[in-house]
Amino acid sequence: GEDVEQSLFLSVREGDSSVINCTYTDSSSTYLYWYKQEPGAGLQLLTYIFSNMDMKQDQRLTVLLNKKDKHLSLRIADTQTGDSAIYFCAETPGGSYIPTFGRGTSLIVHP
Amino acid sequence: EAQVTQNPRYLITVTGKKLTVTCSQNMNHEYMSWYRQDPGLGLRQIYYSMNVEVTDKGDVPEGYKVSRKEKRNFPLILESPSPNQTSLYFCASSLGASYTDTQYFGPGTRLTVL
């Protein structure tokens, strides 16, 4: 079945860039998403990318998609303490309404 | 304010005692769904609904029921809860089921079944 893998933890210094990586197995994935979950809150959609795109930039966020390697990354420039959260990668296989989420990457930003 | 609300936010119950977790959205969204979040497993979809009176199973529907009698409400029913249903539950809604429709998540319900 479909599988989405992420590393569990990432620690960065405030002001540095963060790169959170995700790999997926379903080659029919149509859209890929990044969600942010702050402590005690639900998930918030950060950005998404269509599978025919290589890159998408939105302010401090840059999403890179390597469809050949089935690799998705989220880069956060100038990481701030408010960026500390769990980041989930998700994908929707072609023709399906059931998204598959990764296990989430805990981003810890320290001074 | 546009939002998805869930009640209760926290619930401790015992095995076998039926319970309902309510979910309501005020955005006139057609698509609603329930997820459970477990440590190390990410989110898994339980049920989803494309519109009123239309519901379908997600990845992990066993032990759960849902109903969609009105567009705004999508309650999650556990007829006979068991300890393996101890989890953090999220309701979500979106305008439609298109891949570009942003899902809005509720704040979560933390359920403990003893």
Side-chain angles (χ1 to χ4, degrees):
Chain A
E2 301 87 8
D3 200 14
V4 178
E5 296 287 340
Q6 302 176 239
S7 54
L8 291 182
F9 298 99
L10 176 65
S11 178
V12 300
R13 188 173 298 171
E14 192 174 13
D16 287 351
S17 292
S18 309
V19 179
I20 303 171
N21 294 302
C22 168
T23 58
Y24 59 97
T25 58
D26 192 329
S27 56
S28 72
S29 294
T30 308
Y31 280 90
L32 298 112
Y33 309 84
W34 283 105
Y35 285 85
K36 176 183 181 183
Q37 184 182 29
E38 296 180 350
L43 275 71
Q44 172 194 3
L45 179 67
L46 284 179
T47 187
Y48 64 86
I49 188 167
F50 187 46
S51 58
N52 69 353
M53 298 169 64
D54 298 323
M55 187 182 88
K56 182 177 180 181
Q57 189 156 2
D58 185 2
Q59 298 181 337
R60 291 191 298 123
L61 304 179
T62 303
V63 178
L64 294 176
L65 175 61
N66 182 329
K67 198 173 179 184
K68 175 174 167 290
D69 293 339
K70 299 191 185 77
H71 182 266
L72 182 74
S73 68
L74 174 69
R75 178 176 180 271
I76 304 173
D78 186 25
T79 313
Q80 303 297 308
T81 54
D83 294 323
S84 293
I86 302 176
Y87 290 81
F88 289 92
C89 170
E91 55 100 13
T92 307
S96 171
Y97 298 116
I98 302 176
T100 300
F101 284 82
R103 299 181 183 189
T105 299
S106 288
L107 174 64
I108 300 160
V109 182
H110 54 89
Chain B
E1 180 191 352
Q3 60 183 350
V4 179
T5 55
Q6 296 178 227
N7 281 293
R9 292 291 312 279
Y10 303 91
L11 178 60
I12 300 174
T13 189
V14 295
T15 299
K17 187 176 181 183
K18 181 180 177 179
L19 67 92
T20 300
V21 184
T22 64
C23 172
S24 183
Q25 50 89 8
N26 61 1
M27 296 169 278
N28 201 36
H29 284 171
E30 291 189 347
Y31 184 87
M32 297 185 74
S33 59
W34 276 102
Y35 296 87
R36 61 177 288 174
Q37 183 180 22
D38 300 293
L41 290 179
L43 271 79
R44 294 178 291 169
Q45 193 176 57
I46 303 170
Y47 268 95
Y48 66 93
S49 169
M50 303 280 279
N51 211 325
V52 175
E53 301 292 2
V54 181
T55 63
D56 216 336
K57 295 177 180 177
D59 284 332
V60 288
E62 294 78 18
Y64 304 95
K65 281 175 55 177
V66 291
S67 71
R68 188 88 182 275
K69 293 188 172 62
E70 307 164 278
K71 201 171 190 178
R72 64 184 292 126
N73 296 321
F74 189 46
L76 179 70
I77 303 154
L78 284 74
E79 294 272 4
S80 183
S82 62
N84 64 12
Q85 292 178 297
T86 292
S87 187
L88 179 59
Y89 291 86
F90 288 101
C91 179
S93 75
S94 58
L95 195 61
S98 166
Y99 305 121
T100 55
D101 285 324
T102 301
Q103 281 204 73
Y104 293 83
F105 282 79
T109 295
R110 188 168 290 281
L111 172 66
T112 302
V113 183
L114 301 174

